[in-house]
Amino acid sequence: MKEQMKENTAMIKAVRNNQLQQRRIHDAVRHEIAHIRGEMATKQDIAYIHERPDYRLGRTVRTEGDLYML
């Protein structure tokens, strides 16, 4: 039981790390697109996007999907 719990914890940490990495990549791409268009995305803009319900729901669904696949 303890070994299974350790394995599950390790998998959850891996999924969380992947989620954070994907968020950083997404933010970088969004910033680059804004830069190309001549618009600079501020930290406040990015924070606002992360607070939007549709963005958070999408992230939750993707994370749940990853956990299901594990």
Side-chain angles (χ1 to χ4, degrees), residues 14-25:
V15 169
R16 178 67 176 148
N17 288 338
N18 186 357
Q19 179 187 24
L20 293 173
Q21 181 181 13
Q22 293 301 319
R23 184 186 304 168
R24 285 190 293 270
I25 291 169

Side-chain angles (χ1 to χ4, degrees), residues 16-69:
R16 178 67 176 148
N17 288 338
N18 186 357
Q19 179 187 24
L20 293 173
Q21 181 181 13
Q22 293 301 319
R23 184 186 304 168
R24 285 190 293 270
I25 291 169
H26 179 265
D27 289 346
V29 169
R30 186 174 187 290
H31 182 73
E32 185 64 26
I33 290 170
H35 180 71
I36 290 169
R37 289 182 179 172
E39 310 163 355
M40 291 304 291
T42 65
K43 288 183 180 181
Q44 291 83 9
D45 293 336
I46 293 170
Y48 171 74
I49 288 170
H50 285 228
E51 292 174 5
R52 289 179 42 177
D54 57 333
Y55 178 78
R56 295 185 70 75
L57 178 63
R59 282 186 28 220
T60 301
V61 169
R62 283 191 306 273
T63 302
E64 287 178 355
D66 290 344
L67 287 172
Y68 177 77
M69 295 303 291

